[in-house]
Amino acid sequence: MVTTKFYSSDVGFQGDGDFIRELKLPEQDQTGRWSPEAFQEPVDTALADTVISESGAELTTAQLSHARCRPTLNKDDYDRLMLCYDAATQTYYAFESLF
């Protein structure tokens, strides 16, 4: 897997902040947890909007209309991770909000 774009908010001294990674994975490696079929949930637009806004990403939730995600991981209601796959662009997205 290769990161093709990375967006980041101002990062706190403990590594906290909002981050988006756009990722590409060769088709032959899109198996198991990275199989496009494993991404079935809709995009959590509230999380996506916040992370996009805070990280300054050149992305909108409208551009993610074809994307499907794995269930969002939450830790202590502060740290959140959402992994998504957009079949139209064959791009994976990792949305991270760490506090």
Side-chain angles (χ1 to χ4, degrees):
M1 186 168 282
V2 176
T3 300
T4 57
K5 292 183 182 177
F6 176 75
Y7 303 98
S8 173
S9 66
D10 288 335
V11 179
F13 71 95
Q14 294 180 335
D16 52 322
D18 293 290
F19 312 92
I20 299 175
R21 287 175 177 79
E22 292 184 21
L23 308 156
K24 292 288 187 173
L25 182 65
E27 194 170 336
Q28 69 270 16
D29 295 330
Q30 295 178 6
T31 61
R33 74 178 61 229
W34 295 107
S35 169
E37 293 79 26
F39 295 79
Q40 296 296 319
E41 301 288 322
V43 173
D44 178 342
T45 55
L47 175 59
D49 281 337
T50 299
V51 176
I52 288 168
S53 173
E54 293 296 322
S55 69
E58 300 168 356
L59 185 67
T60 65
T61 51
Q63 291 172 291
L64 299 170
S65 63
H66 296 101
R68 289 288 171 242
C69 306
R70 295 183 59 87
T72 300
L73 300 173
N74 299 296
K75 180 181 178 190
D76 301 328
D77 293 328
Y78 297 105
D79 298 336
R80 301 179 75 195
L81 172 65
M82 179 173 63
L83 299 174
C84 302
Y85 177 73
D86 186 342
T89 62
Q90 295 185 331
T91 302
Y92 291 88
Y93 296 92
F95 292 85
E96 300 173 76
S97 185
L98 307 172
F99 292 98

